[in-house]
Every structure is written in C-alpha cells, then in structure tokens.
Amino acid sequence: MSNCLCLTCDRINSLTAKFCTQCGAKLQIQERYRALKVIGQGGFGKTFLAQDESKPSQPRCVIKQFAFETINPNASQGTLDVAIRLFEQEAKRLDDLGKHPQIPELLSFTIHEGKQYLIQEFIDGETLEQELRSVGAFSEQQVRDVLVEVLQILEFVHSKSVIHRDISPDNIIRRRSDKKLVLVDFGAAKHATATLLAKTGTGIGKPSYGAPEQMLGKSVFQSDLFGLGVTCLHLLTNVEPFTLYDVLENEYQWRQFLNGKLVSNEFGKLLDRMTAYKVKERPSSVIDTLQELGISKKASNSVNNSGVYSFKAEELNGVNRVTIPYANTKKQ
C-alpha cells in the first residue's frame, strides 16, 4: 500500500495510485520514491519505509520528512529557522562525508510539495539490540569482533572531523547480505570544528549510552569511544547500561553481571578505560584503541572515501528528535 505523505491526511492508498484519494497530494517524490508505511515520528516530521519505483527491482529506501512548523505550530520563527538550517546542514554534511561501504547512502535531498525530504538507503538486517534479544549475551570474542569492526568505521568518520554521538546497539545493524556491521543514524553528528567542539549546545544521544560531556552538549571524539564501550558492556552482559552503572562509584560495575563468563583482564581494562567518566582517562583516539587491540592502522584503514551518511534530526529546544533504527523490522 502507499502511505500519503501529507501530515493532516495520512491516508493509505493503492500502490498504483499517483495521487491521494483523500487530499489529492502526490504520492511519489521526484516521480520515483513512494512511501509504504510510517516507521517513526518525532518533532521534525515522519519517517517512512519506501520504495524506489524508477528501478525494475523497486528497492526499499527510507524517506525522512521535515515538517517542523506543522508539528510544532507554536514554535517561534527563530526556532523554525534553526530547525531548517540543521536539516539542510545535515544533508550537506552527510553528502560531503564520502562513501563508506558500512554506512547507509544518502540518495536524495529534495523539496516535495513545500516540504523538505531526505531519501536514504534501507539496510536490510537486524540491529545488535535485536540480535541480543534473540541470542543472549555475546562472548568476549564476539564483542571484540564488534568493537574492532565499528572502530574501523569510526576511524573513517573521525578522519572527516565528524562525531557520531549516538553509538548504541540499535544503531549498529548486521547486514543480512554479507553479515557486516553497518553504522546508522548520523543525524546527531556535528562537524567537529574548534568552535563546535568548544561550544555548549543541545545534548545528543541516548542517555544510557551518551558520555557525560555529551549530555552537556560538549561532545568530543572520545564521546564516541564511550558510547561504543557502553554498547560492548551491554552486549557482554545483556544487562541495560542503567543497571550496570554504579552512581556512588561513578563507574560501570559490569563484572558482577557476567554470570560466570570469563573476560580477559586486558580486554576488561580496555572497556573500563573506554567508559571512564573523565575524558582524559579514555583512549585518546580510535587509532590508539585499535592498536591496543592489536590492529594496525594499515590493516584497519581499508575503506574508500566516496559516499554519504544516514540522518537523524537533533533535539531542538525541548522538541523530541526523530529516532529510527532503519532496519529494525519490529518497528516497521
């Protein structure tokens, strides 16, 4: 079925319809992208599972809609201007980042019937969050494999002066076709210029995975190492980060949740350092972390530089951001 893109209508139409039978809105963006169903909604607009009808195989894709002023009718003009700028800058930034085989491709950024839209590649697979629910806690080797693979993706991301700022199990997808991990949801990323790194802004990321400085709007590259470290602890224990965290000691007491599982002292200490409260106590960079794992830069830096990234709208002045793990089939 075809889902109307109009926020006030939301009617379900037939797949062959060109216009909505209720409001008359066009059902295809750029005469090719058709929304199939809503898979998320937030303060910036809706997100749809869609298909590209310009190709014989009609591959799936994701449509992200910007309709901030419709969803937030009481927002000031200044707030609206900031929201528009964030959406446009994010699209341009993602387009500038270059292609990586383990990051979703941005297919289009366009205006359709007065609204802005991002069209992105759909990743078919399961998030690590889904995998954790189905198979249980990961072994040390499985967690180490995840850590190395995601670090290699982050090495590329950080080399482009971008901080992801939302590393978590539901933003890492194991692609069904080749079993490789794909890092999604780059909408929280900001270009890491000196000004942005020093500037206090809106906190981004899930509170249970976000680094302390990140929640204050002061993200640094080590903030991604923190989120990835907490993700590893979650995978290793199958226990939510809030439960693992000891507020009195200001650290993660994860070893008591291993249920007899053995974790090497060396690997455990690395996870402790990655999730340290103070930035200066964490590894200084992704490359240093890989070297601690025995992975050289030459071996890890094996990606190309063409392509674009996935988008997530930031929280703005108390308005909830759109949060979609693109291949989370249970949410679709």
Side-chain angles (χ1 to χ4, degrees):
M1 304 299 286
S2 181
N3 201 124
C4 181
L5 295 163
C6 178
L7 282 168
T8 58
C9 174
D10 202 33
R11 185 177 181 82
I12 303 300
N13 298 268
S14 73
L15 271 178
T16 58
K18 296 291 185 181
F19 300 91
C20 177
T21 56
Q22 178 166 301
C23 71
K26 292 179 66 175
L27 295 174
Q28 289 176 306
I29 297 175
Q30 295 180 327
E31 309 300 329
R32 59 185 297 185
Y33 301 113
R34 180 187 294 271
L36 301 177
K37 62 179 179 180
V38 177
I39 55 175
Q41 184 169 352
F44 277 69
K46 291 182 179 180
T47 303
F48 302 85
L49 177 65
Q51 64 186 22
D52 183 354
E53 297 183 337
S54 71
K55 300 179 179 180
S57 62
Q58 298 191 347
R60 294 295 171 91
C61 56
V62 172
I63 294 174
K64 281 199 166 228
Q65 175 191 68
F66 180 86
F68 184 85
E69 72 283 6
T70 304
I71 295 174
N72 305 280
N74 296 323
S76 68
Q77 185 61 47
T79 299
L80 175 59
D81 291 343
V82 171
I84 292 172
R85 188 171 70 252
L86 283 173
F87 196 79
E88 292 176 344
Q89 286 180 353
E90 194 64 39
K92 293 175 183 177
R93 187 171 298 122
L94 298 180
D95 194 42
D96 288 340
L97 285 174
K99 188 165 185 67
H100 188 290
Q102 289 169 271
I103 296 173
E105 182 181 3
L106 179 66
L107 303 175
S108 181
F109 176 58
T110 188
I111 295 177
H112 173 77
E113 298 198 334
K115 295 287 187 293
Q116 291 177 307
Y117 289 89
L118 284 167
I119 318 295
Q120 300 169 290
E121 176 188 6
F122 173 79
I123 304 299
D124 181 23
E126 279 196 334
T127 67
L128 292 187
E129 183 178 56
Q130 291 174 310
E131 194 172 313
L132 188 62
R133 287 199 298 264
S134 62
V135 304
F138 288 29
S139 68
E140 177 182 338
Q141 186 59 54
Q142 289 173 316
V143 173
R144 184 185 290 265
D145 291 343
V146 168
L147 178 57
V148 169
E149 193 167 352
V150 177
L151 281 171
Q152 290 174 332
I153 303 171
L154 280 179
E155 180 185 344
F156 171 78
V157 173
H158 288 183
S159 75
K160 300 295 184 181
S161 297
V162 171
I163 305 169
H164 184 281
R165 302 202 302 172
D166 203 1
I167 307 292
S168 62
D170 67 339
N171 282 338
I172 304 170
I173 298 171
R174 195 179 301 279
R175 189 162 47 204
R176 207 177 309 277
S177 61
D178 58 8
K179 306 304 179 185
K180 289 186 178 296
L181 299 179
V182 179
L183 184 59
V184 303
D185 260 353
F186 279 75
K190 275 191 177 181
H191 202 112
T193 62
T195 301
L196 286 174
L197 286 173
K199 183 180 179 180
T200 299
T202 304
I204 297 297
K206 301 172 185 67
S208 54
Y209 298 92
E213 70 280 358
Q214 181 174 302
M215 294 300 103
L216 297 174
K218 294 184 176 180
S219 297
V220 293
F221 292 117
Q222 288 97 324
S223 303
D224 281 346
L225 292 180
F226 184 96
L228 181 54
V230 176
T231 293
C232 289
L233 296 183
H234 189 184
L235 297 175
L236 199 58
T237 62
N238 199 12
V239 176
E240 291 290 335
F242 275 132
T243 303
L244 297 175
Y245 193 72
D246 187 327
V247 293
L248 298 179
E249 298 295 330
N250 222 20
E251 64 183 15
Y252 289 92
Q253 300 283 357
W254 54 274
R255 289 172 177 83
Q256 65 189 21
F257 296 95
L258 290 175
N259 294 322
K261 181 189 302 178
L262 296 177
V263 174
S264 66
N265 188 50
E266 180 184 10
F267 190 61
K269 285 184 176 180
L270 175 59
L271 295 181
D272 287 338
R273 291 180 58 225
M274 290 179 67
T275 57
Y277 184 86
K278 294 181 179 179
V279 173
K280 65 181 180 181
E281 294 178 358
R282 298 176 209 156
S284 60
S285 67
V286 166
I287 292 175
D288 286 349
T289 311
L290 283 167
Q291 288 175 343
E292 288 193 41
L293 290 163
I295 308 297
S296 68
K297 178 172 175 55
K298 183 177 180 181
S300 66
N301 192 17
S302 58
V303 297
N304 60 56
N305 293 332
S306 59
V308 279
Y309 292 72
S310 181
F311 176 84
K312 175 182 287 180
E314 292 180 320
E315 185 179 22
L316 180 66
N317 293 341
V319 179
N320 292 331
R321 59 191 172 89
V322 179
T323 306
I324 300 299
Y326 296 132
N328 189 333
T329 54
K330 290 188 177 182
K331 294 184 181 181
Q332 293 171 4

